[in-house]
Amino acid sequence: MSTAVITAWSAVSPYGTGRDPLAAGLRARAEAPASAGPEEWTADPDATARVVPGFEVRDALGKTGTRGMDRLTGLTAVTVRELLSGADPADEDESGAELGTGLVLGIASGSVQGFMEFTRSSLEGARPIDVSPSKIPNMAMNRAASASAIRHRLKGPNTTVTAGRLSGLVALDQARRLLADGRAERVLTGSAEEYSATRAHLTHAAHGADVVLGEGCVMVLLESGDTAAGEPLAEVLAVHHRVARDGDFAGALTAAVRAALAEADVEAGAVWAAVPGEAPGAAGEQELRVHEELFPAGVRARTASVALLGETAAATGAYQLAALLSEPGEPGRVALVTTTDPDGPVGCAVLRLLTDGADGADA
């Protein structure tokens, strides 16, 4: 069976729009700029977050089709646009392709700000059903993925997965399965997270007020290695995910890593870079201990820390892929990405990087 390869990628991040600003920021090991954000985003005027600079949905996408569109959907739609402008796949309306381009997006659960605004409208209206119709689409878990596919005329399978901080890796696994099963000719996959007042309140209640939130979206274009139209940037060798029982994140993650390396036929000593997700609390602490036990310091420090972007929740796994794809090195090097979620999911992916990572600019 042919393995899946990444042939293009792009992002919308706290460094800016497009993959070039993100790659440059990560290579420089520079913290993404922090901002207090618009006043309406938070009840705490002193709170800071690492947000996409100047991002407003209607400014970024225009007025058509964006009335009531939430921030999460806007971030996703812009990232898909940036990726397609560089990858330039065939126009599916003209090509007559039977399978087309799929889209698999990882998110936390949807726009928590959108949920809160919908609930508030229901409570404030004369009747519970008196809610603005523009707020209803944002209640659908598949809103961001489906709206992006419709906007950019993608006609393949359209899927949303929710697995907390593991969402990016689970989406990657789902995308490669769609290719392997012959369900799509190519698949856009990645994960996204938005900053909002509601998310800030929930995160700070769970992990403390000192957690600086980040946001953004990273998408990669996945194709079959046998038929890829673009130049392969990385080969996805294995993806494994499990659930930690009784708080044993280290045990579950170690088992997942060993299984993934075995599937990829790679020894731990051959890993060039190991990128942790750095979750807050015990999940992240145990993850780092696993890395210390399995890999030398040079391997662990090879790429930039995704913590530079703040706590990016569901977007974490996709940002880890971006960190790998941005780092220069000899073609053929093998890398490992791991992610843990305080609620229990853990996982990893093994990739073989096929280029020198030298071109950070958008195609």
Side-chain angles (χ1 to χ4, degrees):
M1 180 181 69
S2 174
T3 55
V5 294
I6 296 171
T7 57
W9 69 280
S10 198
V12 176
S13 75
Y15 294 108
T17 297
R19 90 183 195 191
D20 192 23
L22 176 57
L26 291 173
R27 286 176 177 174
R29 307 297 196 268
E31 281 193 341
S35 169
E39 185 177 338
E40 65 269 20
W41 285 7
T42 177
D44 181 1
D46 297 322
T48 59
R50 305 192 191 284
V51 300
V52 177
F55 185 86
E56 295 291 342
V57 173
R58 303 195 83 180
D59 291 341
L61 293 170
K63 295 181 179 180
T64 304
T66 56
R67 180 173 178 265
M69 181 181 286
D70 61 45
R71 189 173 180 85
L72 181 68
T73 303
L75 291 168
T76 304
V78 171
T79 307
V80 171
R81 181 194 69 194
E82 294 297 308
L83 175 53
L84 293 179
S85 67
D88 195 26
D91 187 329
E92 296 183 16
D93 284 341
E94 302 294 336
S95 68
E98 294 183 3
L99 299 177
T101 302
L103 194 156
V104 182
L105 178 68
I107 60 174
S109 61
S111 171
V112 293
Q113 188 70 29
F115 296 156
M116 183 63 70
E117 290 175 358
F118 180 91
T119 303
R120 182 173 60 206
S121 295
S122 180
L123 294 173
E124 291 178 347
R127 296 174 300 169
I129 62 173
D130 291 336
V131 178
S132 170
S134 66
K135 297 184 181 297
I136 295 175
N138 295 332
M139 296 301 96
M141 187 180 76
N142 204 43
R143 162 69 158 160
S146 59
S148 296
I150 292 168
R151 190 174 193 88
H152 300 293
R153 298 185 295 183
L154 307 180
K155 297 187 176 181
N158 189 272
T159 306
T160 299
V161 298
T162 63
R165 299 179 91 258
L166 218 66
S167 295
L169 296 189
V170 175
L172 179 67
D173 194 25
Q174 171 73 358
R176 72 181 189 128
R177 290 175 185 273
L178 288 175
L179 288 177
D181 291 343
R183 301 288 303 278
E185 294 179 1
R186 63 195 70 82
V187 183
L188 277 68
T189 185
S191 55
E193 188 61 81
E194 66 173 359
Y195 176 81
S196 68
T198 303
R199 180 181 161 228
H201 285 308
L202 293 173
T203 303
H204 292 160
H207 304 295
D210 58 338
V211 176
V212 178
L213 273 65
E215 68 169 0
C217 178
V218 178
M219 300 292 290
V220 303
L221 179 60
L222 211 63
E223 301 184 71
S224 171
D226 291 338
T227 59
E231 178 188 0
L233 306 177
E235 181 182 13
V236 183
L237 301 179
V239 182
H240 277 258
H241 35 87
R242 304 190 177 202
V243 176
R245 304 294 182 185
D246 300 321
D248 184 14
F249 297 98
L253 183 59
T254 298
V257 168
R258 295 195 185 283
L261 290 175
E263 180 183 334
D265 195 22
V266 172
E267 298 291 334
V271 173
W272 173 78
V275 188
E278 302 185 60
E285 293 168 2
Q286 292 187 42
E287 178 188 33
L288 292 178
R289 288 205 299 270
V290 171
H291 280 240
E292 291 171 356
E293 292 172 0
L294 294 177
F295 308 108
V299 171
R300 303 197 308 270
R302 190 81 67 186
T303 67
S305 167
V306 292
L308 295 170
L309 295 144
E311 170 48 36
T312 53
T316 299
Y319 273 128
Q320 290 174 271
L321 294 179
L324 281 177
L325 294 169
S326 301
E327 194 65 30
E330 290 295 323
R333 59 205 187 280
V334 175
L336 175 80
V337 167
T338 68
T339 308
T340 58
D341 186 283
D343 289 333
V346 304
C348 63
V350 181
L351 298 93
R352 178 176 289 112
L353 302 171
L354 303 177
T355 68
D356 61 10
D359 63 334
D362 283 319

